[in-house]
Amino acid sequence: MLNYFIKSPENKKQWDDYLLFRWEMLRKPLGMSMDSLKDDLENSSYHIIALEEDQKSIVGSGRVHFNSLEESQIRYMAISDSYRRQGVGSDIVKKLEEYAMKHGAKKMTLNAREDAIQFYASLGYIKGSPYKSDTGIPHTTMEKYLI
C-alpha cells in the first residue's frame, strides 16, 4: 500500500517542484516549453499536489478553477507512472471536487486525454464532445454534476 499526502503547495520549493512536475508529466514529452505550462487562471485556481510519504517527491498534481459561479474545471491532472491505479488520481479529483463544492460549484468539467476517459468515467464523469487542446493531443470534454 502506498503512503502519500495530498495538499496544496505551501512554500516556494513545493510550488517550483509542482510546476516542474506538471511540465515534465504533461508538456515536456510533447516537446513543449516551460512557457506553455501556465495560463491566465493560475493565480485564481486551487492547486493540489500528492507527495510521497517523505514529502520530498511529488507524485501527482491537479488544479481547479471556476468558469462561472456554479461551474468549475479540473486541469493539469498528472500522476507518476508508478503511482497510477493506486488511488492517487481518484483522491486528487475528490479533493478538487470538495473544494469546488465548498465554493459553490454545482458542475465540474474537464478535458480528458483519450487514455484518461475511462478513469474519469469511473468517477462519474460523462463523456461529451471532442476538444481541441493547445497540446495538439485529442481530448474529450467531460462533465459531472456535483452533489
Side-chain angles (χ1 to χ4, degrees):
M1 179 166 191
L2 299 174
N3 290 319
Y4 56 91
F5 298 91
I6 295 177
K7 64 180 188 174
S8 290
E10 296 174 347
N11 56 50
K12 183 175 177 354
K13 181 175 178 3
Q14 284 181 354
W15 278 102
D16 291 346
D17 290 351
Y18 160 61
L19 292 172
L20 181 61
F21 177 81
R22 267 177 37 181
W23 176 70
E24 287 178 340
M25 294 295 297
L26 301 170
R27 303 293 174 125
K28 183 180 179 183
L30 305 175
M32 298 178 79
S33 72
M34 288 278 295
D35 294 337
S36 71
L37 183 61
K38 294 182 178 182
D39 62 26
D40 59 349
L41 297 171
E42 291 295 323
N43 293 334
S44 61
S45 298
Y46 177 66
H47 304 262
I48 288 281
I49 54 175
L51 294 163
E52 285 184 328
E53 187 174 19
D54 64 7
Q55 296 199 42
K56 292 181 182 169
S57 299
I58 294 176
V59 297
S61 69
R63 186 191 92 176
V64 67
H65 66 263
F66 278 78
N67 294 328
S68 69
L69 290 175
E70 294 187 351
E71 181 184 286
S72 54
Q73 181 176 348
I74 293 175
R75 289 203 67 197
Y76 300 110
M77 278 289 300
I79 308 298
S80 295
D81 290 341
S82 61
Y83 278 74
R84 290 187 182 170
R85 300 190 188 322
Q86 305 292 322
V88 179
S90 299
D91 287 347
I92 289 173
V93 170
K94 181 180 176 183
K95 293 280 187 198
L96 295 174
E97 289 175 349
E98 288 171 358
Y99 175 87
M101 285 189 297
K102 182 178 177 183
H103 291 86
K106 306 280 188 241
K107 179 173 136 179
M108 184 73 80
T109 65
L110 56 88
N111 298 308
R113 292 181 181 189
E114 293 301 312
D115 62 353
I117 291 173
Q118 192 59 38
F119 164 71
Y120 290 114
S122 74
L123 298 175
Y125 286 81
I126 309 266
K127 189 175 171 181
S129 58
Y131 172 79
K132 184 170 170 70
S133 167
D134 64 342
T135 63
I137 294 176
H139 283 64
T140 299
T141 298
M142 300 184 80
E143 65 180 30
K144 176 180 178 179
Y145 286 91
L146 305 172
I147 343 175

